[in-house]
Amino acid sequence: MLKKFKDLSEKEILAIAIAAEEEDGRIYGEFADALRDEYPSTAQMFEEMREEEVGHRDRLFAMFRQRFGDHIPLIRRENVKGFLTRKPVWLVRPLGVKVARRQAELMELEASRFYARAASRTTDVSTRELLNKLADEERKHERAAGQLEEKHLNASAKAMEDESHRKLFLLQVVQPGLLGLMDGSISTLAPLFAAAFAFQNSWKAFLVGLAASVGAGISMGFSESQSDDGSLTGRGSPWLRGAITGLMTTAGGIGHTLPFLISNFHVATLVAIIFVAVELLVISFIRHRYMDTPFLQAAFQVIVGGVLVFLTGWLIGSA
């Protein structure tokens, strides 16, 4: 059974505060450890916040020992109604820097409210004074992330962290998405247009293209998710990468398959070819934008591959 805050004794209030500061300090330590390689300045910010939480815990423990002795009752925030349920985002790897900062703001806000309310429930003058001081400090901590960020994240550090964030985005989102889009757009050309020219029937071509797109999406998704777990490469969650790759593979094939819903075969084929050209240009632009590949070089490589696959499907279908 959860206890109501109004039913807590002063001994229990101090016990909760000690446990809370201990837990918050460890969470900040986890944030610092998780972000140290990619975001060293932010990691240092969390390390300083961890040290401050340790100082709060020691002051609370000294007050508890002075009033109640060494034995601290086993009661935590989760045993009391009204506290937020925290998602263990600190266990996620890789940890998003924005997620960590947002979580820290929520933690400090909850702590300041807890100390303000706890102080109003305390009759002992010295304890109330300590709790009020901690409430003031936690309110300052709501701005501490911003203040420490200004201290540690100078222009150079911000530029380094922004570059690190860009690299992670490329590894975890752009690369698997581009891989899937290229595979879906190019690998499905041969079966789709082979079926189209062989049957001269829009609906049959659509079914073949749909099967090829979905099948390729499933295959590529599972292949990417099993390629590595991201622990050494920094490529993030394998299931997220697999989902991105699978969806983009399917999307790449579906784009030039949908025109075959047009009943007129020749019109459908013309529209599908236009879709293929647009897809290849989009892929070239993405490679140019995110992979620093010269646009003409990227376009040449992608278009040559696409044309070769298209011709393969046309020749087989027309045989």
Side-chain angles (χ1 to χ4, degrees):
M1 294 292 293
L2 296 180
K3 296 195 69 170
K4 296 180 180 179
F5 190 87
K6 66 182 181 65
D7 296 330
L8 295 176
S9 65
E10 293 186 23
K11 186 176 184 180
E12 289 173 327
I13 288 174
L14 283 176
I16 291 172
I18 292 170
E21 294 290 354
E22 175 72 25
E23 181 180 309
D24 289 354
R26 294 182 65 181
I27 291 174
Y28 290 143
E30 288 292 320
F31 287 166
D33 183 66
L35 299 172
R36 189 165 285 115
D37 292 337
E38 286 82 17
Y39 304 97
S41 296
T42 299
Q44 181 59 32
M45 176 188 82
F46 281 119
E47 183 61 30
E48 290 194 14
M49 294 177 75
R50 183 195 68 79
E51 292 173 358
E52 291 190 16
E53 299 301 292
V54 171
H56 291 178
R57 180 205 61 191
D58 291 344
R59 290 157 67 186
L60 287 163
F61 184 69
M63 176 61 68
F64 186 94
R65 177 180 290 175
Q66 175 185 326
R67 294 192 59 196
F68 304 110
D70 292 333
H71 176 69
I72 302 175
L74 183 57
I75 183 169
R76 300 186 178 92
R77 283 177 293 203
E78 56 264 32
N79 306 132
V80 181
K81 290 182 180 180
F83 282 99
L84 296 174
T85 300
R86 294 181 179 173
K87 295 180 180 180
V89 296
W90 52 89
L91 298 178
V92 177
R93 296 293 186 275
L95 176 66
V97 64
K98 292 183 179 179
V99 172
R101 289 173 182 164
R102 186 161 54 248
Q103 180 71 21
E105 290 175 4
L106 289 174
M107 289 166 59
E108 298 298 344
L109 175 61
E110 184 182 54
S112 66
R113 290 178 175 176
F114 165 72
Y115 284 125
R117 191 175 176 190
S120 68
R121 297 260 304 122
T122 305
T123 57
D124 181 73
V125 175
S126 58
T127 302
R128 184 166 61 249
E129 182 181 355
L130 173 60
L131 293 175
N132 278 324
K133 285 182 178 179
L134 292 177
D136 290 337
E137 291 178 19
E138 296 293 355
R139 277 191 289 270
K140 293 176 183 177
H141 284 181
E142 290 179 49
R143 301 184 295 273
Q147 292 169 350
L148 289 173
E149 199 169 330
E150 290 177 4
K151 173 183 175 182
H152 294 292
L153 297 187
N154 52 36
S156 175
K158 284 184 178 180
M160 291 177 61
E161 293 202 353
D162 287 344
E163 176 63 18
S164 180
H165 186 73
R166 189 184 77 87
K167 289 179 180 178
L168 289 175
F169 179 72
L170 288 177
L171 280 173
Q172 298 169 10
V173 178
V174 175
Q175 283 189 358
L178 181 60
L179 174 67
L181 187 61
M182 290 180 63
D183 185 85
S185 296
I186 295 176
S187 69
T188 57
L189 289 177
L192 173 65
F193 285 100
F197 289 112
F199 297 118
Q200 299 284 305
N201 183 286
S202 292
W203 179 246
K204 290 182 179 179
F206 171 77
L207 292 178
V208 172
L210 181 64
S213 301
V214 175
I218 294 172
S219 175
M220 286 292 291
F222 273 103
S223 296
E224 178 62 27
S225 67
Q226 300 301 313
S227 61
D228 72 77
D229 63 4
S231 59
L232 296 178
T233 60
R235 298 180 66 214
S237 166
W239 294 109
L240 177 60
R241 289 197 328 272
I244 292 172
T245 303
L247 289 173
M248 293 304 292
T249 301
T250 301
I254 287 292
H256 48 253
T257 297
L258 289 177
F260 285 98
L261 288 173
I262 301 172
S263 58
N264 186 301
F265 171 74
H266 295 291
V267 173
T269 302
L270 177 61
V271 174
I273 292 174
I274 294 173
F275 267 68
V276 171
V278 172
E279 290 168 2
L280 297 181
L281 288 174
V282 169
I283 292 172
S284 301
F285 174 77
I286 293 174
R287 292 189 64 194
H288 168 67
R289 173 69 176 79
Y290 291 103
M291 302 302 174
D292 297 326
T293 305
F295 182 77
L296 291 178
Q297 178 183 335
F300 178 78
Q301 294 171 344
V302 172
I303 291 173
V304 168
V307 169
L308 290 175
V309 176
F310 170 79
L311 291 175
T312 301
W314 174 66
L315 290 172
I316 294 174
S318 302

